[in-house]
Amino acid sequence: MDNFGSDFPSGSSGKMDTGTIMEQVKVQIAVANAQELLQRMTDKCFKKCIGKPGSTLDNSEQKCIAMCMDRYMDAWNTVSRTYNSRLQRERARI
């Protein structure tokens, strides 16, 4: 049988350190969220700003992409802050 815990540090008793595992999971979630943000932002801004793809971007396309990405990041950050704030309030009630 495979040792599923072999990728994680373990203590002298052979048990996995749950704190370390939780930190690794948090890092993996953060990376996945960043990748999703980048992919969505790329898709949306490309569709909005690039009418006819070519080998270079003209000035208007560059400005559109920059503004689109800024707006998308601002919206993402606002939603994230609001969501985290709500989670904290919910946890405080428990």
Side-chain angles (χ1 to χ4, degrees), residues 58-91:
D58 64 28
N59 266 351
S60 64
E61 290 171 330
Q62 289 177 16
K63 288 177 184 177
C64 180
I65 295 249
M67 289 181 2
C68 178
M69 293 177 80
D70 286 345
R71 284 193 308 267
Y72 200 91
M73 288 294 295
D74 287 344
W76 181 279
N77 287 332
T78 299
V79 169
S80 293
R81 279 192 304 270
T82 303
Y83 179 72
N84 287 333
S85 175
R86 185 174 180 181
L87 281 177
Q88 288 176 353
R89 284 194 310 271
E90 292 295 322
R91 287 181 183 151

Side-chain angles (χ1 to χ4, degrees), residues 32-47:
N33 282 336
Q35 289 172 334
E36 179 184 356
L37 168 64
L38 185 58
Q39 184 62 47
R40 285 185 179 190
M41 187 169 45
T42 300
D43 290 344
K44 289 187 182 296
C45 292
F46 182 87
K47 287 176 186 174

